[in-house]
Amino acid sequence: MEIIVAKDYADLSRRACRIIASDIKKKPDLVLGLATGSTPLGTYQELVRLYREEGLDFSRVVTFNLDEYCGLSKDNPQSYHYYMFENFFKHVNIKPENIHIPDGTAVDVESHCRKYDEEIARHGGIDLQLLGIGHNGHIGFNEPGDELLTVTHVTELTPDTIKANSRFFNSMDEVPKKAITMGLGTIMQAKKIVLLASGKSKAGIMAELLDENAVSTKNPASFLLLHKDVTVIIDEEAAELLKK
Ligand code: GLP
């Protein structure tokens, strides 16, 4: 695991963008796993800037998003579909048919999840997976618990996550209680992973992750310690409780 301490959020975003851009240049048909939340917003802005100013080409890039809320349609401003198009996809030359995001309104959700994993496999797996981290260690929406599922599945959000994510909604009641998420197995099969953490509110979970050298389903992100190609980009605020 490589740990890069960035000066601040802008520096973190530029560094994450640089890794993604360099991989796209090496492999124009890169299979890119994407995350939502506030942390990767700056990375998406930087990627859009590189597209506009330097012609970074997304025309052959294929994307798979980590997760989506159950029950929210694609045009709901709180959905991750909406987020991805508003903050990234509509500003670059990615082909709509190359974009994959779980469908929160799928009727046969089990079959939808199975097909999502099959589609990832059909593309040869994810080359580079971008991740944020929840305050409770969740990645995607793999929440802490007694067990973690390996495949794409429907999951119940924990009260912690509902509370944390309520900042994007008018009230707590509006936050969906379930989501579709890639499983830990799907994430761990990515050839390379970049995990981003920014701000003081992530300092506790990052110290737990990076200082304890232990794997536990109580901290889903800890499984990343077992992956052979993970880069953690953390800003100084999120790094302030690290002992190492
Ligand atoms: C959400 C997403 C995660 C994300 C996390 C952290 O619940 N499902 O993929 O990493 O929250 O979000 P933020 O970056 O806003 O702190």
Side-chain angles (χ1 to χ4, degrees):
M1 183 175 269
E2 187 188 355
I3 302 169
I4 299 172
V5 181
K7 196 161 68 62
D8 53 23
Y9 181 66
D11 185 31
L12 170 147
S13 303
R14 276 192 300 270
R15 286 169 185 267
C17 169
R18 233 176 278 148
I19 294 174
I20 298 169
S22 134
D23 281 10
I24 293 176
K25 284 178 196 158
K26 279 186 230 146
K27 184 175 186 279
D29 59 348
L30 193 78
V31 181
L32 190 55
L34 295 175
T36 50
S38 37
T39 313
L41 280 174
T43 307
Y44 295 142
Q45 277 164 16
E46 278 296 303
L47 286 167
V48 170
R49 192 183 62 74
L50 284 197
Y51 164 70
R52 288 190 181 140
E53 294 176 8
E54 295 174 21
L56 180 64
D57 183 15
F58 292 89
S59 63
R60 293 174 60 203
V61 170
V62 174
T63 63
F64 286 91
N65 263 77
L66 278 170
D67 47 14
E68 178 60 286
Y69 288 115
C70 286
L72 299 193
S73 62
K74 296 176 185 174
D75 53 1
N76 184 313
Q78 262 82 36
S79 73
Y80 287 163
H81 267 87
Y82 193 90
Y83 167 108
M84 288 307 303
F85 279 86
E86 283 306 303
N87 294 304
F88 185 35
F89 295 146
K90 78 176 194 191
H91 307 289
V92 297
N93 66 333
I94 190 160
K95 295 212 174 89
E97 63 269 30
N98 287 346
I99 295 170
H100 305 84
I101 308 176
D103 179 358
T105 62
V107 181
D108 185 349
V109 72
E110 274 179 29
S111 139
H112 178 67
C113 291
R114 206 177 53 244
K115 286 187 185 139
Y116 200 71
D117 283 330
E118 284 168 6
E119 196 62 10
I120 293 173
R122 203 175 64 77
H123 281 87
I126 291 170
D127 292 309
L128 168 58
Q129 176 67 56
L130 184 66
L131 293 178
I133 183 167
H135 303 112
N136 60 2
H138 76 218
I139 50 177
F141 271 129
N142 292 279
E143 297 279 35
D146 292 335
E147 61 176 20
L148 293 168
L149 293 187
T150 55
V151 295
T152 299
H153 61 281
V154 174
T155 183
E156 303 237 349
L157 305 184
T158 61
D160 272 0
T161 298
I162 293 173
K163 193 167 162 222
N165 291 7
S166 66
R167 68 188 195 279
F168 300 111
F169 293 79
N170 292 324
S171 73
M172 267 252 292
D173 294 343
E174 276 184 26
V175 187
K177 308 292 176 283
K178 287 183 180 179
I180 299 174
T181 182
M182 275 185 204
L184 248 299
T186 315
I187 295 171
M188 289 290 284
Q189 277 163 26
K191 293 167 193 109
K192 173 170 170 176
I193 294 177
V194 174
L195 172 73
L196 308 180
S198 167
K200 283 186 198 308
S201 70
K202 299 288 168 70
I205 191 65
M206 291 313 287
E208 198 180 303
L209 174 66
L210 300 176
D211 284 333
E212 286 183 13
N213 296 320
V215 169
S216 161
T217 58
K218 305 282 185 277
N219 179 4
S222 66
F223 282 79
L224 300 176
L225 298 168
L226 304 174
H227 192 282
K228 65 179 187 324
D229 190 354
V230 178
T231 302
V232 177
I233 312 180
I234 182 168
D235 63 13
E236 283 180 3
E237 286 190 354
E240 72 181 15
L241 297 178
L242 295 189
K243 292 194 202 87
K244 283 186 206 159

